[in-house]
Amino acid sequence: MLRTTLAGLRAHRLRLLLTALAIMLGLGFIAGTFVLNDTVEAGFAQRVTADAGKVDVVVLPGKPGGLLDERVLRRVRALDGVREAQGLVRGPAPLLGKDGKTVGDAPTTAMSVVLGPLDRADIVSGTGPGTDDRAAVLDENTARAQGFTVGETITVLDHERNPHDFRLVGLLDPGVDQELAFTGALGFTTATAQRMTGAKGYSEIDVAGEAPGLTQAVAAAVGAGHVVKTGAELADDLARAAGVETRMFTLGLLLFGVVAMMVAALVIYNTFNILIAQRTREMALLRCIGATRGQVFGSVLLESAAVGALASVLGLVVGYGLASATLAVLNALDAPLPTDAAVALSPATIAIGLAVGLVVTMCAALLPARSATRVAPIAALRSQVEEQTFRMGRARVLSAALFLLAGAGTTCAGVLILEPGQQISLLVVMAGGALTFLAVLILGPVLVKPLSALVGWIPRRLFGVPGRLAVDNSGRNPRRAATTTVALTIGVTLMTLISVVTASTRLTMTAKLDEQFPVDYLLASQERDPVIPRSVARELRERPELASVLQIREAEATVAGKALDVGTYSGPMRPYVTSGSMDGFGAGQVALDENAAKALGVAVGASVSLKTPEAGTVPLKVVAVLDGSQSSLPPVTVAEEPFETYFGAVPDSRVLVNVKDGVPPEQARKVVDAAVADYPVVRVSSSTEVRGQFDETLDMMLMIITGLLGLAILISLLGIANTLSLSVHERTRESALLRALGLTRPQLRGMLSVEALVLGLIGALVGVVLGGVFGWAAMMAMLDGAVLSVPVGQIVLFVALSGVAGVLAAVLPARRAARTSIVGSLARG
C-alpha cells in the first residue's frame, strides 16, 4: 500500500501541488508572523543588551513617579568598587515647532545625556551635548516630522513655560523606550535637564563597578524604600516592557493566520472529498485484490501526510519571504521597530510550522479517508462512477436547528441583556456568531440549490444553453458546492463585519463628537492645565466673527477626602443633567458628574466638604448629577463667583469657541489663531480636525484588516479553482458528450466560468448576510447608543469582486476542458 500510494502521488504531481497550495499560503502567513516576531524581539534584545550592558547596578525609586535625591547619589559614589555613578534626569519639556506651537499631543520628554562609560544615548547623527549647556539633541523621528536638522536652533519651554533656545547638535534613536517613542525625546546636559524640567531629584541612578557583592553594597547604602537591580535585570525589564506591544501585534497577526488556516483546511477537505469520489474504482480495485479497510484508510492519510509535509516546507519558505518583505517595508516607512536583526527561522518556528501543516492537512483528510473505506469492492466493476446524491437527514436538521437556536439566543443575550461596552458582551456576541456559522455550515448543502437558482437567474437568461447548464451544475452536487463556497463565505463574512463595524463606529463617534464637542474651536494646552490667560477669551468675545465663547477653569482640590478636579465655567452652556437641577446654581452648591458621585457615594441632596486654598474647608450641597460622557465640565463643578473665592484668579484650562453663521472658516481660524499667537502652549484644534484624524485612523485600520483578510479570500479562490479543476477531470466524458452534441469550445469555457461565477456569488451573499447581522450585533455590544451604518458601496464591491475572482479562478480549468479531445475523452469514459 505504501508503494501504491507513493506511485499515485508521483503520477499526479500537478494534483499534489494544487492541493498543497492552499495549506502552503495559510502556513506561510503563520510562519511569517513567527519569523517577524522573532526578528523584532531579537532586535529589541540587541538594543537593550547594548544599552543596559553598560550598567552594572541600577537604583530606582521605590514608588512609581518618585525621585532619588542628591544624597542617595553621593552615598553610592562613596562606595568602594564604584567606578562611576550617574543620576539620570527625566521630565516634560515642551518643544516648539517651526509654527511656534508645542509639538505633539503630549509634552516632549527631556532627559540628561551623561558622559563616559554610562552614556546610554544612541546618537545616530551629529554629537551629544557633551558639557555644553546650550546644546541639545533631539530624537530622529520628531526631527524628521518637524523638519529640524543638525545645526539649527530649536526652542524649548521649561517647567515654568519660559522659552529657551538651544543649538541642535545631534539626533538620537529613542530605542525600545515606548514613552520616548510616543512623546519624542530631548537630550541635555544633566544641569540643563534639571533646569528645564524643574526636577528635584533623579529618576534613576546608574552604577558602573567591578567589586564583588556590589549590588548588595549599593542596596545597603541607599537603604529601604528603593529598588536596586543588576544591569541584566534592567535589560530584562526593558525588553519585557518593549515586547508587550510586539506580542500584541503578533497575536493580532496570528488571528488572521488562524483564519487563513481554517479556510485552507476546508479547501483540503473538499479536495480530498473530490479525489476520493474520482478514485472510487481505484479504491474498489484495491479492496478486490486484498486491501483491507484499514489499509485504504491509511493510504489516504499517508497521501495527506505527504501533501502536508510538502506544503509545510514550502510554507516555511513562503513565511521567511513574507517576513523579509515586511521588514523591508517597515524599514522603508521608518517604523519605530528594531528591524536590523538578521532574519532567521528559529527551531521553534520550524517545529510549529511543520506540526501545524501536518496536523491541519491530516485532520482535514480524516472524513474523506473514512468515506474511502466504505467503497464496496463491487464498485470496481462499474463503468461509470455514480453521482453522489445528498439527502437531508434528521440528524442534520436537528443539529442545525440546535446550533441556530443557540447562536441566536447567545447573540441576543450579548446585545439585549448584557450591558454594552463591557468586554464580556462582545465575547458573548462572538460566541453566538461562531454557533450560527456552524449552523450555516451544516445547512450549506440545503441552501445551495435555492441560492444557485436565485444567483443564476440572470446568467441563465443572459448566456443561453451554457448559462442554464452552468447553473444546474452549480447545484448538482450540493455537498461539494457548499464546501467549496464556505471557504469564501468566511473571508467575505469577516470583511463585511469589519466594514459594518468601521462605518458604524465612524457614524456613532461622529454623533458623540458633535454632542461632546459642540463647538467650532477648542483652545487648550497639551496637558489641559490652566495656562490660558483670561484676556484671550475677552479678546475673542469682542470679535464680530464669533457667536459664543465659553471658558472652563479647573483646579485640584480635596472633596470629601478624595483628590478631584474642581472647576467652573463662564459663558453659554447647558450641562447634561441626569438628576437634580442647576437652576439658580450659586454659592454653597455643587454639581458632580456620575463617576464622581459614585466615587464619593453621594446623590442629589447630600452634602460634601471641599478643602480650598483660599477659603479653607467649605460645605457644599449636591444639587445636580451630570452625564460625564456628554459633559465638557470637570468632575466637580461650582458656580463662577464661589470658585474665585475658593481658588483665586485661576487662568482658563479650556476655551470653547463657536463661529457666527455665514463667516468663512478660513477667516474665523485666522481670528482664533491671532488671539493665541503669543502663547505657544495654547493649541487650537477644531472638531473638523479631530474628526478627520479619527477617520484617518479608521480608514487605515480598515485597509490593513482588509489586506490581511485578502489572504483568506485568495486561498478560498484557489479552492474554487482546485475544485473546478478536479471537477473538470471528473466530468471529462460529460464535457466530451456536450461537445459532440454541438457545444463549442467557447461555450464550454463560458459554462465553467458561469459555474464559478455562481459559486463565488453564493459564498459572497451568505458572507454578506452573516457579516451584516453580526456587524450590527458587535456594534450594539461594543458601544452604548451605537448608530448602525451599512456601507452599501463596499459590500456591493465585495460581492462583485467575489464573482469576478471566481470567473478568474475558472480560466485555467476551462481552457483545459476546452482543449480535451472529444474522441479520446469518450473512449476513456
Side-chain angles (χ1 to χ4, degrees), residues 363-376:
C363 288
L366 280 177
L367 289 178
R370 183 167 169 265
S371 66
T373 63
R374 297 178 178 176
V375 176

Side-chain angles (χ1 to χ4, degrees), residues 288 389 438 475 497 700 768:
C288 283
T389 57
L438 288 175
L497 186 149
M700 183 177 297
V768 164

Side-chain angles (χ1 to χ4, degrees), residues 246-321:
T246 307
R247 284 189 286 274
M248 293 301 294
F249 173 69
T250 303
L251 181 60
L253 287 179
L254 282 176
L255 289 177
F256 290 101
V258 169
V259 171
M261 287 299 290
M262 184 166 58
V263 173
L266 287 169
V267 171
I268 292 289
Y269 165 76
N270 201 36
T271 302
F272 272 98
N273 253 340
I274 299 172
L275 290 176
I276 296 303
Q278 290 177 358
R279 293 157 58 191
T280 300
R281 293 180 65 185
E282 177 186 326
M283 299 294 178
L285 186 58
L286 289 173
R287 293 292 310 282
C288 283
I289 61 175
T292 65
R293 287 189 173 188
Q295 286 176 315
V296 172
F297 183 82
S299 70
V300 176
L301 284 188
L302 179 61
E303 185 171 342
S304 69
V307 171
L310 176 65
S312 300
V313 173
L314 293 175
L316 290 173
V317 175
V318 170
Y320 186 90

Side-chain angles (χ1 to χ4, degrees), residues 513-514 516-522 548 550 656-658 686-687:
L513 189 63
D514 290 338
Q516 299 179 29
F517 200 93
V519 294
D520 295 309
Y521 296 102
L522 169 67
S548 65
L550 172 67
L656 289 73
V657 180
N658 269 321
S686 69
S687 57

Side-chain angles (χ1 to χ4, degrees), residues 95-173:
L95 169 70
L96 299 187
K98 293 190 175 181
D99 59 354
K101 295 294 181 180
T102 51
V103 169
D105 296 325
T108 315
T109 301
M111 60 182 189
S112 57
V113 178
V114 301
L115 297 174
L118 289 175
D119 177 14
R120 289 162 55 191
D122 184 8
I123 306 296
V124 294
S125 177
T127 63
T131 58
D132 186 355
D133 288 339
R134 305 307 306 169
V137 295
L138 179 64
D139 73 282
E140 56 182 347
N141 296 326
T142 303
R144 187 184 303 109
Q146 299 299 320
F148 289 123
T149 57
V150 173
E152 284 190 273
T153 298
I154 59 174
T155 302
V156 184
L157 303 181
D158 62 18
H159 64 285
E160 295 179 344
R161 300 300 188 270
N162 297 316
H164 300 267
D165 291 337
F166 295 92
R167 185 168 55 88
L168 186 60
V169 297
L171 303 179
L172 61 87
D173 181 354

Side-chain angles (χ1 to χ4, degrees), residues 723-740:
T723 301
L724 279 175
S725 179
L726 294 169
S727 179
V728 165
H729 176 74
E730 184 181 79
R731 288 149 50 186
T732 300
R733 179 182 175 86
E734 177 186 314
S735 299
L737 186 59
L738 289 172
R739 289 287 313 284

Side-chain angles (χ1 to χ4, degrees), residues 336-356:
L337 290 172
T339 56
D340 47 0
V343 184
L345 278 172
S346 67
T349 300
I350 294 173
I352 292 173
L354 292 175
V356 168

